Amino acid sequence: MSTILAFAEARDGELRNVSFETIAAAKQINEDAQVVGVVLSDQKTEALADEMIHHGADRALVVEHADLKEYTSDAYTQAAMAVINEENPAGIVMGHTSAGKDLSPRLASKLDSGLVSDITGIEGSGDDTEFVRPIYSGKAFEKKKLTDGVTFVTVRPNNIAPLEKDTSRSGEVSSLDVDIKDLRTVIQEVIRKASEGVDLSEANIIVAGGRGVKSEEGFEPLYELADELGAAVGASRGACDAGYCDYSLQIGQTGKVVTPDLYIAVGISGAIQHLAGMSNSKVIVAINKDAEANIFNVADYGIVGDLFDVIPKLTEEIKAL
Ligand code: FAD
């Protein structure tokens, strides 16, 4: 039976959602294959392995090592290659995250395999599997097929639905000892931005503000709405450049690419560079006082009005539900 490795992504001892999406993608690629959840971390790997199995992995393989506390290219490449050599997989799936974007091409070059990155869908299965990925900043899609070697893909977060969690599922968990050495980079310290609440790249709902929000204080009503919705707050580059919020919130061509179920664009004109980061959201709501704003061309629902009137009313209505 062939094996597909689904790489988990752990942060502070917790798995990110994209980990479960890699399992679902692996199952779609070949439902007859054995899907092995791979956990590389410095802690709690057994518990994380169980999580992978509860989300559909047939078994799990863990590598626990102090050098896997934070992502570094050298340490993770060595650990992942040790797993790949051990398992000799037919397929590899990882998240198209900051770590996945760095790690996957390194592994592909070592394996001399192809790589289809940033997939948002899978069609067919087995040898006929085609991978759908956005191109030209999301204005078109292409379908790609891997014709030789390991089927290696990275999945864009929030596009492939994870399987239902089932805590009664069980599977073998094995661990692999890895000798990690000759690290050319080590992380001295991680300085986290004091970001509150939901992680932008994994959020199901995003409330994003633009230059129309006019000030840092102007973002307060957006945070209130986001709190009510369990949403993350994002921003256009216009808002970041103006100093209303941190660049870590920027969405677009030179910011984060997001695909939430619901994207609420507030005071954002809809420049092409912004659309590149959010136009694949499932439902887009635009709030803008200019009825001609380009954002309305991609919106499913539009409200023409002053955001400072609309947002508090919307928040009140949602509170009342
Ligand atoms: P504006 O274009 O100024 O729009 C503000 C909007 O707010 C207007 O539509 C206005 O009608 C509305 N408004 C004003 N007041 C109110 C109110 N009271 N109520 C309701 N609506 C109101 N941009 C990104 O976002 N992300 C990127 O990653 C990115 N990368 C770029 C890369 C390059 C190489 C370049 C050249 C540009 C990039 N940009 C990016 C910038 C982009 O071109 C736009 O300048 C930017 O997106 C504009 O931000 P905005 O929509 O917030 O501001």
Side-chain angles (χ1 to χ4, degrees), residues 209-214 235-239 241 250-255 266-274 287-290 293 305-308:
R211 199 149 31 206
V213 174
K214 292 192 176 66
S236 70
R237 179 155 148 190
D241 282 346
Q250 185 183 317
I251 291 165
Q253 187 182 313
T254 44
V266 185
I268 293 177
S269 59
I272 190 75
Q273 296 90 352
H274 187 76
I287 302 167
N288 197 303
K289 67 180 184 185
D290 174 8
D306 189 317
L307 69 94
F308 297 104

Side-chain angles (χ1 to χ4, degrees), residues 206-285:
I206 293 175
V207 179
R211 199 149 31 206
V213 174
K214 292 192 176 66
S215 65
E216 196 177 342
E217 298 72 52
F219 262 83
E220 282 307 318
L222 275 67
Y223 277 104
E224 277 172 42
L225 175 61
D227 273 353
E228 284 307 313
L229 292 168
V233 171
S236 70
R237 179 155 148 190
C240 299
D241 282 346
Y244 307 160
C245 53
D246 192 86
Y247 279 104
S248 60
L249 301 191
Q250 185 183 317
I251 291 165
Q253 187 182 313
T254 44
K256 293 199 167 81
V257 175
V258 296
T259 21
D261 292 336
L262 174 61
Y263 189 89
I264 306 178
V266 185
I268 293 177
S269 59
I272 190 75
Q273 296 90 352
H274 187 76
L275 301 188
M278 48 61 74
S279 61
N280 289 324
S281 304
K282 291 173 194 91
V283 175
I284 298 171
V285 175

Side-chain angles (χ1 to χ4, degrees), residues 228-229 314-321:
E228 284 307 313
L229 292 168
L314 201 55
T315 309
E316 283 312 309
E317 289 294 327
I318 288 162
K319 271 188 189 158
L321 288 177

Side-chain angles (χ1 to χ4, degrees), residues 112 144 154 208-209 257 290 299 312 320:
D112 200 17
K144 272 193 162 171
T154 62
V257 175
D290 174 8

